[in-house]
Amino acid sequence: MESIFALVLAKANYVAYIILMMVGLYAMIVKNNLIKKIVGMTIFQTAVILFYVSIGCKRGATIPILEHHASPETAAHGAEKIVAHAMDAVNVTHYINPLPHVLMLTAIVVGVATLGVALALAIKVYNTYGTVEEDEINQQLRSG
Amino acid sequence: MTRHLPALIIVIPLLAALVTAGSGWINQKAPFRIAVAALLFSFICAVLMLIQVITTGIAMEYRMAGWAGPMGIVYIIDHLSALVLVIITAVSTLNLVAQKKNIISEFKDKAGAFNALYVLFTAGLIGMTATGDAFNLYVLLEIVSLSGYALIGLGNNRAPLATLNYLFLGTIGATFYLLGVGYLYIATGTLNMAELATIIPQNMGSGVILFAFIICLTGLFVKMALFPVHGWLPEAYSQSTSVSAGLIAPLTTKVTVYIMVRICMTVFTPEYTFGHLDVSGFIVLLAIVTIVFGSLSALAQKNVKKMLSYIIIAEVGYMVGGFFLGNRLGISGAILHIVNDAAMTLALFLAAGIFIWKTGGESRSDLKGLFAKMPFTMAGFVLAALSVVGVPPTCGFFSKWYLISGGIQAGNYLFVAALIFSSLVNAVLFFRLFEIAYFEPFTEGHGHGGGSHGNSHHYTGVLAIKEAPLDMLVPFLIASMTLIVLGLYSGTIVTNIIQFAIPTGVI
Amino acid sequence: MKILGKLTILLCGVLLMFFTMEFPDWGDPESPASTHLSPYFIQHTMEDTAVPNIVTSVLADYRGYDTMFETTVILTAGLACFLLLRIERKKVPHRYYRHEPTGVTLRMEGDKFPRNSEVFQRMDANWVPYDFIISRTCRLIIPFIQIFALYVVAHGHHSPGGGFQGGVLMGASVILFAISHSLRAAIKSFSEKTAALLSVTGVFIYAGTGALCLIFGEVFLNYSALAPLFGSDRVMARSHGILMVEIGVAVAVTAVMIWIYYNLSSAGKQDEGL
């Protein structure tokens, strides 16, 4: 029992993202309202973003901005001093992995763009059929 | 200058799309001309790159921002990419030039936005084909998807709902692909395709890589409308305008098949895909079901565009099944069919566009008597139909020949039977259309009003030939002639280009 | 149908969890993802680009090509919303205006406006009630939001920030103006044509910088080529090039956020929104 608990705790981020992804997929497949489906799609994409960001985590590390201090003499001498200060040996395990963050900046923007286009299409559907419930729309299509 | 061709082929359309979008607010005629010029330029770049790759025999590599992979993003143009690039740019340019009248009538005051989205769609496809980085492919896939949704969403009344369905399934497919890339990143730590190809053979037994493969492939199958996730395709393509259908139908599914070929052969090497894994049999079975289902559904349709959409589903089945047979003949057949199918689908949808413009209606019975009225158009349509059926010397025959030979060599007679069955069904389909068009008399003025664009073409005499206008007819005839040219040069294409696209390990 | 959906989801979830047993632990510094490629970025960002914020240097320099297409994605979304939704305004035959101090109602024919339109308020079916507290409070806050947005864009090199974040903040300030006052007032000060042209300009700055590097002889998006233009050495030219593209991204994201809001909130008619 403890081993299963320890296993789940060690892989907690994967469990979290799987649960979130299944919630999003459930909403997309089972719900009838188009807006709820769009929300489910957003949750589904957010789960993948959570997965990526959690890959880059390192225990005890800090954000990926190299530590540098702007003091009066560096400001006077310009950027070369900052470069020289920060180039003292950088400990890699001190900073988390920056690459998943970069990839997910792109993925978040893509998610927002898809959400915008989906909402525009939902507005058009509403203007045409007068409702956003899928079973009512199917009824109108079958009879009309 | 030729050193920078891999960057120019995508930068010039991107900049042109921006200028088009901006100029749409000032002038209504400029966007179309800028778009045509940019696409023509990309076509010339693609042909130049193909010639260079064939003559030198080595792939062109281009390091964006000056960093070598895996630190930066690298573009690699090898034989396969160059071939698909030529097809993408050619189809896109021909379609834009042929449908000028339709664009003006349907998108009167939004010409800037429409042409910009058109060029962005093509630029995204070009980038997807040329890239050598797995995550860059996802970003470009989303550009293609988003502009596709916008172009399709402006059809008739049922278009927004069909597009919304397409959006949900397309997002699921793209997100699954992203998840697969994430799993590969966890297992290997890199995103560069060439480097993945060196790391994966050392970790073949890993469950992570197996699952990454399954999820990537599932995402791609959703995007190329394989059975059972094909539900979005018929509605989306049949409810859109003829311009959008002529651009999106020939290209989206075929480039997705290209991505599948690239991932299975370049990233997961052929030893892994065909040797280590055992899913090929199951996938070929899925492809067979797709072929049978697509052909039978096409028989039941009365709407011409919907019938063509189901034929597209069956053709995707050919390509996926042929690829997963695993031998050199099958893979060559699949790659040759990417080229041929793009040309065939373009010709068919251009013909459907001309029919709809002429008669105003979309159903089968609207084709009555068109053989006598529009002989040139019908001649081109007959060529395209014969190519789909697989009659020599059109190109469809040669790709089917390679696929059938591959099936026989692999011992998969079910696949061969499905191919022959599908050819017979296609023959029945198209000869039924020919019968309606040839033998039934032309009834006057039976446009349904919804599709005819303003001026109707009532003729005065029964025997007067009223052809489509020249700027619609000439590109369509060029597309039909290309089918014969591709057919006659099939052998050259296979020996000079496709042979080098397949790694030497595959028999 | 619901039972089938629930069963499928449960099966998929269990299958996925079974496969994750092989993954590296959470927070493991020795996983392949953290040891293969990323140490290069962390160790070499200062000597290659002179930018301490590793995320910015990877985003705009090492993988700058991806970011260019990400900006194009958001532009595509703006164009798509415009293409799908925009309806031309119908020309109304006459309009009603009320003179604030006296309470007199005027009727103007055609498209004319009364002069000194500060004291005249337009009245029609889409008239929105005017809330004094909300509009005055937001009017106080908006300039600070905009200054903070500019700060975030400019400090992307040294602290968390950059083009996308600053652009969204700036766009949010204009959207706040549109919500607290009325959509018409926002369109009058920041018209749709401005938003569309600015969004295209933003992406053009990004792609144009890359093309400029091409003209100077290096590969596309290699900012070191711009060293003679900025008058500095090759490493600092990269830092300045990153700033240029971040500005382009900020302009594009601002304009597209506003454009999408205008089209979505008014369902294309752009007469009155939320």
PDB file of all heavy atoms in Angstrom, chain B residues 272-291:
ATOM      1  N   TYR B 272      12.350   0.334 -36.534  1.00  0.00           N
ATOM      2  CA  TYR B 272      11.435   0.367 -35.405  1.00  0.00           C
ATOM      3  C   TYR B 272      10.007   0.174 -35.863  1.00  0.00           C
ATOM      4  O   TYR B 272       9.257  -0.616 -35.306  1.00  0.00           O
ATOM      5  CB  TYR B 272      11.591   1.710 -34.671  1.00  0.00           C
ATOM      6  CG  TYR B 272      10.797   1.787 -33.406  1.00  0.00           C
ATOM      7  CD1 TYR B 272      11.251   1.187 -32.255  1.00  0.00           C
ATOM      8  CD2 TYR B 272       9.595   2.465 -33.367  1.00  0.00           C
ATOM      9  CE1 TYR B 272      10.528   1.251 -31.092  1.00  0.00           C
ATOM     10  CE2 TYR B 272       8.866   2.541 -32.213  1.00  0.00           C
ATOM     11  CZ  TYR B 272       9.342   1.937 -31.074  1.00  0.00           C
ATOM     12  OH  TYR B 272       8.616   2.007 -29.933  1.00  0.00           O
ATOM     13  N   THR B 273       9.624   0.925 -36.927  1.00  0.00           N
ATOM     14  CA  THR B 273       8.217   0.909 -37.325  1.00  0.00           C
ATOM     15  C   THR B 273       7.802  -0.453 -37.853  1.00  0.00           C
ATOM     16  O   THR B 273       6.746  -0.965 -37.503  1.00  0.00           O
ATOM     17  CB  THR B 273       7.983   1.938 -38.427  1.00  0.00           C
ATOM     18  OG1 THR B 273       8.687   3.116 -38.108  1.00  0.00           O
ATOM     19  CG2 THR B 273       6.533   2.242 -38.593  1.00  0.00           C
ATOM     20  N   PHE B 274       8.621  -1.021 -38.729  1.00  0.00           N
ATOM     21  CA  PHE B 274       8.192  -2.268 -39.342  1.00  0.00           C
ATOM     22  C   PHE B 274       8.797  -3.480 -38.678  1.00  0.00           C
ATOM     23  O   PHE B 274       8.236  -4.560 -38.718  1.00  0.00           O
ATOM     24  CB  PHE B 274       8.568  -2.273 -40.832  1.00  0.00           C
ATOM     25  CG  PHE B 274       7.955  -1.122 -41.579  1.00  0.00           C
ATOM     26  CD1 PHE B 274       8.742  -0.220 -42.269  1.00  0.00           C
ATOM     27  CD2 PHE B 274       6.600  -0.940 -41.586  1.00  0.00           C
ATOM     28  CE1 PHE B 274       8.184   0.833 -42.944  1.00  0.00           C
ATOM     29  CE2 PHE B 274       6.031   0.114 -42.253  1.00  0.00           C
ATOM     30  CZ  PHE B 274       6.833   1.006 -42.931  1.00  0.00           C
ATOM     31  N   GLY B 275       9.977  -3.310 -38.067  1.00  0.00           N
ATOM     32  CA  GLY B 275      10.638  -4.470 -37.515  1.00  0.00           C
ATOM     33  C   GLY B 275      10.258  -4.733 -36.063  1.00  0.00           C
ATOM     34  O   GLY B 275       9.785  -5.789 -35.708  1.00  0.00           O
ATOM     35  N   HIS B 276      10.418  -3.706 -35.239  1.00  0.00           N
ATOM     36  CA  HIS B 276      10.261  -3.940 -33.802  1.00  0.00           C
ATOM     37  C   HIS B 276       8.793  -4.010 -33.413  1.00  0.00           C
ATOM     38  O   HIS B 276       8.385  -4.835 -32.609  1.00  0.00           O
ATOM     39  CB  HIS B 276      10.957  -2.803 -33.055  1.00  0.00           C
ATOM     40  CG  HIS B 276      10.920  -2.967 -31.587  1.00  0.00           C
ATOM     41  ND1 HIS B 276      11.806  -3.764 -30.909  1.00  0.00           N
ATOM     42  CD2 HIS B 276      10.101  -2.448 -30.660  1.00  0.00           C
ATOM     43  CE1 HIS B 276      11.537  -3.709 -29.621  1.00  0.00           C
ATOM     44  NE2 HIS B 276      10.504  -2.924 -29.441  1.00  0.00           N
ATOM     45  N   LEU B 277       7.972  -3.095 -34.015  1.00  0.00           N
ATOM     46  CA  LEU B 277       6.568  -3.052 -33.639  1.00  0.00           C
ATOM     47  C   LEU B 277       5.760  -4.042 -34.455  1.00  0.00           C
ATOM     48  O   LEU B 277       6.174  -4.460 -35.525  1.00  0.00           O
ATOM     49  CB  LEU B 277       6.003  -1.654 -33.892  1.00  0.00           C
ATOM     50  CG  LEU B 277       6.398  -0.580 -32.896  1.00  0.00           C
ATOM     51  CD1 LEU B 277       5.630   0.663 -33.248  1.00  0.00           C
ATOM     52  CD2 LEU B 277       6.069  -1.012 -31.514  1.00  0.00           C
ATOM     53  N   ASP B 278       4.557  -4.358 -33.954  1.00  0.00           N
ATOM     54  CA  ASP B 278       3.751  -5.326 -34.676  1.00  0.00           C
ATOM     55  C   ASP B 278       2.384  -4.778 -35.034  1.00  0.00           C
ATOM     56  O   ASP B 278       1.425  -5.534 -35.133  1.00  0.00           O
ATOM     57  CB  ASP B 278       3.576  -6.580 -33.818  1.00  0.00           C
ATOM     58  CG  ASP B 278       3.388  -7.787 -34.704  1.00  0.00           C
ATOM     59  OD1 ASP B 278       3.636  -7.655 -35.920  1.00  0.00           O
ATOM     60  OD2 ASP B 278       2.962  -8.820 -34.194  1.00  0.00           O
ATOM     61  N   VAL B 279       2.284  -3.450 -35.200  1.00  0.00           N
ATOM     62  CA  VAL B 279       0.956  -2.874 -35.434  1.00  0.00           C
ATOM     63  C   VAL B 279       0.622  -2.766 -36.906  1.00  0.00           C
ATOM     64  O   VAL B 279      -0.465  -2.346 -37.263  1.00  0.00           O
ATOM     65  CB  VAL B 279       0.849  -1.462 -34.812  1.00  0.00           C
ATOM     66  CG1 VAL B 279       0.807  -1.556 -33.336  1.00  0.00           C
ATOM     67  CG2 VAL B 279       1.969  -0.598 -35.285  1.00  0.00           C
ATOM     68  N   SER B 280       1.569  -3.128 -37.800  1.00  0.00           N
ATOM     69  CA  SER B 280       1.315  -2.895 -39.224  1.00  0.00           C
ATOM     70  C   SER B 280       0.085  -3.645 -39.699  1.00  0.00           C
ATOM     71  O   SER B 280      -0.701  -3.123 -40.484  1.00  0.00           O
ATOM     72  CB  SER B 280       2.515  -3.333 -40.046  1.00  0.00           C
ATOM     73  OG  SER B 280       3.677  -2.767 -39.545  1.00  0.00           O
ATOM     74  N   GLY B 281      -0.084  -4.893 -39.222  1.00  0.00           N
ATOM     75  CA  GLY B 281      -1.228  -5.667 -39.681  1.00  0.00           C
ATOM     76  C   GLY B 281      -2.539  -5.000 -39.318  1.00  0.00           C
ATOM     77  O   GLY B 281      -3.467  -4.898 -40.131  1.00  0.00           O
ATOM     78  N   PHE B 282      -2.602  -4.479 -38.079  1.00  0.00           N
ATOM     79  CA  PHE B 282      -3.833  -3.847 -37.616  1.00  0.00           C
ATOM     80  C   PHE B 282      -4.123  -2.593 -38.424  1.00  0.00           C
ATOM     81  O   PHE B 282      -5.268  -2.320 -38.803  1.00  0.00           O
ATOM     82  CB  PHE B 282      -3.675  -3.529 -36.122  1.00  0.00           C
ATOM     83  CG  PHE B 282      -4.807  -2.753 -35.558  1.00  0.00           C
ATOM     84  CD1 PHE B 282      -6.061  -3.321 -35.464  1.00  0.00           C
ATOM     85  CD2 PHE B 282      -4.632  -1.461 -35.127  1.00  0.00           C
ATOM     86  CE1 PHE B 282      -7.111  -2.617 -34.953  1.00  0.00           C
ATOM     87  CE2 PHE B 282      -5.683  -0.753 -34.608  1.00  0.00           C
ATOM     88  CZ  PHE B 282      -6.927  -1.328 -34.518  1.00  0.00           C
ATOM     89  N   ILE B 283      -3.056  -1.811 -38.724  1.00  0.00           N
ATOM     90  CA  ILE B 283      -3.289  -0.562 -39.446  1.00  0.00           C
ATOM     91  C   ILE B 283      -3.711  -0.844 -40.883  1.00  0.00           C
ATOM     92  O   ILE B 283      -4.560  -0.142 -41.447  1.00  0.00           O
ATOM     93  CB  ILE B 283      -2.035   0.321 -39.379  1.00  0.00           C
ATOM     94  CG1 ILE B 283      -1.770   0.687 -37.930  1.00  0.00           C
ATOM     95  CG2 ILE B 283      -2.216   1.574 -40.185  1.00  0.00           C
ATOM     96  CD1 ILE B 283      -0.604   1.581 -37.737  1.00  0.00           C
ATOM     97  N   VAL B 284      -3.137  -1.886 -41.501  1.00  0.00           N
ATOM     98  CA  VAL B 284      -3.561  -2.219 -42.858  1.00  0.00           C
ATOM     99  C   VAL B 284      -5.022  -2.644 -42.857  1.00  0.00           C
ATOM    100  O   VAL B 284      -5.786  -2.318 -43.772  1.00  0.00           O
ATOM    101  CB  VAL B 284      -2.660  -3.317 -43.453  1.00  0.00           C
ATOM    102  CG1 VAL B 284      -3.156  -3.722 -44.811  1.00  0.00           C
ATOM    103  CG2 VAL B 284      -1.251  -2.819 -43.562  1.00  0.00           C
ATOM    104  N   LEU B 285      -5.431  -3.338 -41.778  1.00  0.00           N
ATOM    105  CA  LEU B 285      -6.847  -3.716 -41.674  1.00  0.00           C
ATOM    106  C   LEU B 285      -7.736  -2.485 -41.600  1.00  0.00           C
ATOM    107  O   LEU B 285      -8.777  -2.398 -42.268  1.00  0.00           O
ATOM    108  CB  LEU B 285      -7.037  -4.575 -40.424  1.00  0.00           C
ATOM    109  CG  LEU B 285      -8.327  -5.391 -40.390  1.00  0.00           C
ATOM    110  CD1 LEU B 285      -8.323  -6.346 -41.549  1.00  0.00           C
ATOM    111  CD2 LEU B 285      -8.401  -6.163 -39.088  1.00  0.00           C
ATOM    112  N   LEU B 286      -7.318  -1.486 -40.776  1.00  0.00           N
ATOM    113  CA  LEU B 286      -8.064  -0.224 -40.700  1.00  0.00           C
ATOM    114  C   LEU B 286      -8.156   0.428 -42.077  1.00  0.00           C
ATOM    115  O   LEU B 286      -9.201   0.946 -42.473  1.00  0.00           O
ATOM    116  CB  LEU B 286      -7.357   0.753 -39.760  1.00  0.00           C
ATOM    117  CG  LEU B 286      -7.771   0.791 -38.305  1.00  0.00           C
ATOM    118  CD1 LEU B 286      -7.008   1.887 -37.616  1.00  0.00           C
ATOM    119  CD2 LEU B 286      -9.247   1.038 -38.168  1.00  0.00           C
ATOM    120  N   ALA B 287      -7.041   0.380 -42.823  1.00  0.00           N
ATOM    121  CA  ALA B 287      -7.032   1.007 -44.143  1.00  0.00           C
ATOM    122  C   ALA B 287      -8.001   0.291 -45.074  1.00  0.00           C
ATOM    123  O   ALA B 287      -8.705   0.926 -45.872  1.00  0.00           O
ATOM    124  CB  ALA B 287      -5.618   0.983 -44.717  1.00  0.00           C
ATOM    125  N   ILE B 288      -8.054  -1.039 -44.960  1.00  0.00           N
ATOM    126  CA  ILE B 288      -8.966  -1.790 -45.826  1.00  0.00           C
ATOM    127  C   ILE B 288     -10.405  -1.409 -45.525  1.00  0.00           C
ATOM    128  O   ILE B 288     -11.216  -1.181 -46.429  1.00  0.00           O
ATOM    129  CB  ILE B 288      -8.752  -3.304 -45.633  1.00  0.00           C
ATOM    130  CG1 ILE B 288      -7.371  -3.687 -46.144  1.00  0.00           C
ATOM    131  CG2 ILE B 288      -9.809  -4.098 -46.348  1.00  0.00           C
ATOM    132  CD1 ILE B 288      -7.021  -5.101 -45.859  1.00  0.00           C
ATOM    133  N   VAL B 289     -10.733  -1.316 -44.222  1.00  0.00           N
ATOM    134  CA  VAL B 289     -12.093  -0.927 -43.855  1.00  0.00           C
ATOM    135  C   VAL B 289     -12.399   0.468 -44.388  1.00  0.00           C
ATOM    136  O   VAL B 289     -13.498   0.744 -44.871  1.00  0.00           O
ATOM    137  CB  VAL B 289     -12.263  -0.992 -42.322  1.00  0.00           C
ATOM    138  CG1 VAL B 289     -13.614  -0.460 -41.924  1.00  0.00           C
ATOM    139  CG2 VAL B 289     -12.097  -2.394 -41.841  1.00  0.00           C
ATOM    140  N   THR B 290     -11.391   1.374 -44.310  1.00  0.00           N
ATOM    141  CA  THR B 290     -11.592   2.731 -44.823  1.00  0.00           C
ATOM    142  C   THR B 290     -11.904   2.712 -46.301  1.00  0.00           C
ATOM    143  O   THR B 290     -12.820   3.397 -46.770  1.00  0.00           O
ATOM    144  CB  THR B 290     -10.333   3.575 -44.592  1.00  0.00           C
ATOM    145  OG1 THR B 290      -9.936   3.452 -43.251  1.00  0.00           O
ATOM    146  CG2 THR B 290     -10.583   5.017 -44.927  1.00  0.00           C
ATOM    147  N   ILE B 291     -11.147   1.897 -47.070  1.00  0.00           N
ATOM    148  CA  ILE B 291     -11.348   1.867 -48.516  1.00  0.00           C
ATOM    149  C   ILE B 291     -12.758   1.385 -48.829  1.00  0.00           C
ATOM    150  O   ILE B 291     -13.500   2.010 -49.594  1.00  0.00           O
ATOM    151  CB  ILE B 291     -10.319   0.951 -49.192  1.00  0.00           C
ATOM    152  CG1 ILE B 291      -8.911   1.477 -48.970  1.00  0.00           C
ATOM    153  CG2 ILE B 291     -10.599   0.833 -50.660  1.00  0.00           C
ATOM    154  CD1 ILE B 291      -7.866   0.565 -49.521  1.00  0.00           C
TER     155      ILE B 291
END
